[in-house]
Structures are given as C-alpha cells and as structure tokens.
Amino acid sequence: MNRLKNNENCRLLLKILIIFAISRLIMLIMVPVYNGIMGTHRSFLFLMNEWDAKKYAYIINHGYTHPTDIDPQANWAFFPLYVIVCAALKAVTGGLINTYVIGMIVSNICIIIAAFFAVKGLKKQTSIKEEYTMIMPVLLFMAPYTFYCSSVYTEAMFIMFIVLFFYFLFEKKYMAAGIMAACSSGTRIVGCILVFALVVQLYIDMEGTKISFGKVKTFVMDMLKAPKKILSVLVCPLGAFAYMAFLNFFCGDAWAYKNVQIAWREDEYFPIIGVLWKACTGQIEPRYTYMGWFCIAILILYGYMFYRKYYSMAVFGIISLLVPLTSHVMSTCRFTAGTYVAFVGVYDILTRCNKAVRYIIMAVLIAIEIYLLFLWYNSDCWLM
C-alpha cells in the first residue's frame, strides 16, 4: 500500500480519477434537474446518447448498412475502430450489458487514459509546476463540449490516440507515434492529418525551427537515409486506408464515407473563406453564426500556440479545422474539442494567469459546460 502511495503514477491517476468522478457526478445530478425543469422522466442513458450515438449503437449491434438498404443516411460515414472495440467488449461480456453502457464504458476509459498521458506529456514538454498538474484533466472532463467524451461517440477514443501520438512524438518514438496516428485515422478520417504534425516535428528535431530552402533540402536527404522515420510517416493513414479497402469490398465505393455526407449536408459554399463569411455575417442560421465566430476564435488560439512554439500541435489543429470548413461550420465546436490540441492552448494560457483569474476562467468554462450539457439533454440543434 505504501509503495502505491509513493508511486508518482498512482498518485497522478488517483487525482485524475477524483476529478473524473466529480465531473460524472455533475452529469448525473443534471438528469433530475433536467427532468424537473422539463417535466420528463428520462434516464441518464437516454439523455446522454443522442443523434450519432444511436448510429454507433446500431453499428455495434448490427454492422454497417447494407448497400441495398434504402436509408439515404447510410452509416458508412462512421469509422470503425471505436465500433470494433465496443463490439469486442460486448462479445466478451456475453451481450448481457446494454450497448449504450458498453459504449460509455469505452469512452470514459479512453478519456481517463488521455488525461493521464496528457499530464505526463505536458510535464516533460513544459516543465509543469505541481499547482498546474490538474488543469488538463479538468479541461478534458469539464470544459465545454467534453460531455461528448462520456457518450457513445468517438471523441474520447480519438482524443486518446491524439494524446498518445504527441506523447510518443515528443519522446522521439516516431514509429509508436505513427501507429497512434494510424489508430486515430481508423477512428475518424481527420486522424490522417496527424501525418503533417509528424513531419513538422521530424523537421524540428532534425533541422531546428528555422525554415530555408537549404534546410528543407537537407531534411529531405536526411529522411531518405532514415527508412524507419519514413515508415513512421507512411503508417499514419493506414487506419483510414483499411476502412476504405473494406468499403470498396462492401459497397463498391472506397470513398463511400465521404460521398454519403450529402445525405446530411446539401449546402454548397466557397470552401473555407465562403463558409466562414456566410456564417460570421449571419447569412445562415444563428447557430452557425455562433459556430463561425467560434472557428475564428479557435484559429486565433492556434496562432497563439504557434507563438508559444507548439508548432506540430498548431499545424494539426489548423488543418483539422480547415477540413470541415471546406463544406460547412456544422459541428465544428464538437470537432475542435475532439482534436485535443485546443485544450493545450487553453492550458498554456491558464498557466500564465494569476491564481484568481485562472480559477475564475475555469469556473466559467465549467459553467458553460453544464449549460451545454442541459442543451444536450434537450437534444438542442445548437450542438450539431
């Protein structure tokens, strides 16, 4: 017992679990609060698993939509790794546990692992002070839009693989980082973008932060002499490629995950600039105006991260946000929270605030999350 108490990792995990328990207790308390205000009698499982959670539960139970099915919103858009893990756990438990419970167990375990390695990674990357240790777990468990990480959604697993990717990347374990990127790309297509973060960090580790034609040329030549590093780059999109190979066999279209998106989005705007212009100037629904300005704020945050020299994280964050902005601002708040790196930018800002300001900001973020959780329980379209 004393050895456990003296073990740094055990102490860290215990602190994380306490914060996690508090965050989930808030979610449970909000159930009777919501039912009392709305005059309903809905369960925690029902309230936590709206929209896409039902799609994931269906895939876990029945697999992907057959090509002959008449449903235009075929579930091919949902990548398989999270589903595979949930289905495996359900099989191990003999199918006796509710599918939503299975999915929530997987999601909550993933976000706990993510918080643990996020703290360990930030300690090495930023020489974190003890008083700042628990900021990141609070952000991952209780910041706005993190309630998705407790639902049957891929956010928690995706964040876990991203955290592990950067953890191994800054340890210079490039192959392990590439494997984590491959797993993330099997969870969501945006995981493929981690390849850019890997290349950026490889360049920094090999050539420094200054960019010139000569250094880029040297970097290319050095990479050609390092087959293991090249392989770590090539591994990154394997998860997505594996799913595309499956789709090609299953329904005859390797790009089915992308082509089926038209069933959800028919709007067409000029990519990125046109999308943000339409949203920020109020030319579409008010919720999208909010999301447009949210995206602007996040891009500014990523600019700050560049200034603070989180280069590879900022590159990943920017590209992962620009991808959905090629078509719409829909769900960009959720996507941003689900890519983790924005939390690192917020974390950096919080560590530079005095204690009172830091606590006030964190209290405001938690209050916003509680309000958003109420909207989530109410199936509010502002969250999608």
Side-chain angles (χ1 to χ4, degrees), residues 154-171:
T154 58
E155 265 68 11
M157 180 174 284
F158 193 56
I159 288 173
M160 179 187 71
F161 286 130
I162 293 170
V163 168
L164 290 171
F165 167 83
F166 284 110
Y167 178 82
F168 289 124
L169 186 62
F170 295 129
E171 289 280 300

Side-chain angles (χ1 to χ4, degrees), residues 294-358:
F294 179 92
C295 291
I296 296 294
I298 292 299
L299 288 172
I300 293 171
L301 177 64
Y302 290 147
Y304 170 79
M305 290 178 68
F306 260 109
Y307 172 73
R308 297 301 313 165
K309 299 183 180 179
Y310 295 95
Y311 297 119
S312 56
M313 288 184 170
V315 166
F316 171 66
I318 290 171
I319 299 176
S320 65
L321 181 56
L322 295 182
V323 168
L325 288 178
T326 58
S327 60
H328 210 290
V329 293
M330 181 188 294
S331 299
T332 45
C333 301
R334 172 168 73 91
F335 294 157
T336 299
T339 49
Y340 168 65
V341 289
F343 291 125
V344 177
V346 175
Y347 159 85
D348 186 89
I349 292 171
L350 288 172
T351 60
R352 298 174 192 283
C353 299
N354 67 52
K355 193 172 184 179
V357 173
R358 182 164 64 250

Side-chain angles (χ1 to χ4, degrees), residues 69-139:
D69 197 297
I70 60 173
D71 181 8
Q73 292 188 342
N75 52 29
W76 307 326
F78 302 96
F79 274 54
L81 187 52
Y82 175 76
V83 172
I84 291 170
V85 173
C86 291
L89 180 58
K90 186 164 186 178
V92 168
T93 56
L96 300 176
I97 302 178
N98 182 286
T99 302
Y100 291 112
V101 174
I102 290 287
M104 292 177 73
I105 289 172
V106 171
S107 292
N108 282 295
I109 290 174
C110 285
I111 201 62
I112 290 170
I113 294 171
F116 179 81
F117 281 96
V119 172
K120 288 182 69 67
L122 287 170
K123 273 188 174 183
K124 293 183 178 181
Q125 188 183 357
T126 63
S127 299
I128 185 174
K129 295 180 181 178
E130 190 61 32
E131 63 180 299
Y132 303 146
T133 302
M134 291 299 104
I135 292 178
M136 183 54 73
V138 171
L139 292 176

Side-chain angles (χ1 to χ4, degrees), residues 91-329:
V92 168
T93 56
L96 300 176
I97 302 178
N98 182 286
T99 302
Y100 291 112
V101 174
I102 290 287
M104 292 177 73
I105 289 172
V106 171
S107 292
N108 282 295
I109 290 174
C110 285
I111 201 62
I112 290 170
I113 294 171
F116 179 81
F117 281 96
V119 172
K120 288 182 69 67
L122 287 170
K123 273 188 174 183
K124 293 183 178 181
Q125 188 183 357
T126 63
S127 299
I128 185 174
K129 295 180 181 178
E130 190 61 32
E131 63 180 299
Y132 303 146
T133 302
M134 291 299 104
I135 292 178
M136 183 54 73
V138 171
L139 292 176
L140 287 175
F141 299 151
M142 291 187 274
Y145 298 100
T146 56
F147 57 82
Y148 285 102
C149 296
S150 190
S151 183
V152 186
Y153 272 66
T154 58
E155 265 68 11
M157 180 174 284
F158 193 56
I159 288 173
M160 179 187 71
F161 286 130
I162 293 170
V163 168
L164 290 171
F165 167 83
F166 284 110
Y167 178 82
F168 289 124
L169 186 62
F170 295 129
E171 289 280 300
K172 294 182 172 57
K173 297 177 180 178
Y174 304 117
M175 181 55 69
I179 293 171
M180 292 302 104
C183 291
S184 72
S185 72
T187 308
R188 283 173 55 186
I189 184 61
V190 179
C192 292
I193 296 170
L194 285 170
V195 68
F196 295 104
L198 177 56
V199 171
V200 167
Q201 195 61 44
L202 281 168
Y203 179 90
I204 292 171
D205 291 344
M206 295 168 70
E207 309 298 336
T209 57
K210 291 185 178 180
I211 299 176
S212 66
F213 177 78
K215 284 201 169 188
V216 171
K217 182 179 179 182
T218 302
F219 171 67
V220 172
M221 296 304 296
D222 289 342
M223 282 292 290
L224 291 174
K225 299 173 184 176
K228 288 185 178 179
K229 291 177 181 176
I230 294 176
L231 183 59
S232 68
V233 173
L234 296 177
V235 162
C236 290
L238 282 186
F241 288 167
Y243 182 50
M244 291 172 70
F246 164 78
L247 287 175
N248 189 62
F249 169 79
F250 184 68
C251 60
D253 181 8
W255 298 95
Y257 72 89
K258 174 180 175 292
N259 295 332
V260 77
Q261 293 285 347
I262 195 172
W264 283 271
R265 305 177 185 182
E266 296 180 355
D267 317 54
E268 290 188 6
Y269 309 113
F270 187 78
I272 302 174
I273 297 174
V275 168
L276 285 175
W277 175 258
K278 288 276 188 179
C280 293
T281 54
Q283 297 182 47
I284 46 182
E285 295 178 44
R287 58 174 169 149
Y288 295 142
T289 302
Y290 155 70
M291 291 179 188
W293 284 107
F294 179 92
C295 291
I296 296 294
I298 292 299
L299 288 172
I300 293 171
L301 177 64
Y302 290 147
Y304 170 79
M305 290 178 68
F306 260 109
Y307 172 73
R308 297 301 313 165
K309 299 183 180 179
Y310 295 95
Y311 297 119
S312 56
M313 288 184 170
V315 166
F316 171 66
I318 290 171
I319 299 176
S320 65
L321 181 56
L322 295 182
V323 168
L325 288 178
T326 58
S327 60
H328 210 290
V329 293

Side-chain angles (χ1 to χ4, degrees), residues 27-44:
M27 291 181 177
L28 288 171
I29 291 172
M30 283 299 293
V31 172
V33 171
Y34 171 82
N35 283 327
I37 293 173
M38 303 304 295
T40 57
H41 298 86
R42 293 173 175 171
S43 69
F44 178 62

Side-chain angles (χ1 to χ4, degrees), residues 8-22 123 130 133-134 137 141:
E8 182 182 351
N9 287 335
C10 289
R11 293 199 305 271
L12 172 60
L13 181 59
L14 180 60
K15 291 178 182 178
I16 288 172
L17 289 175
I18 291 171
I19 296 172
F20 171 81
I22 293 170
K123 273 188 174 183
E130 190 61 32
T133 302
M134 291 299 104
F141 299 151

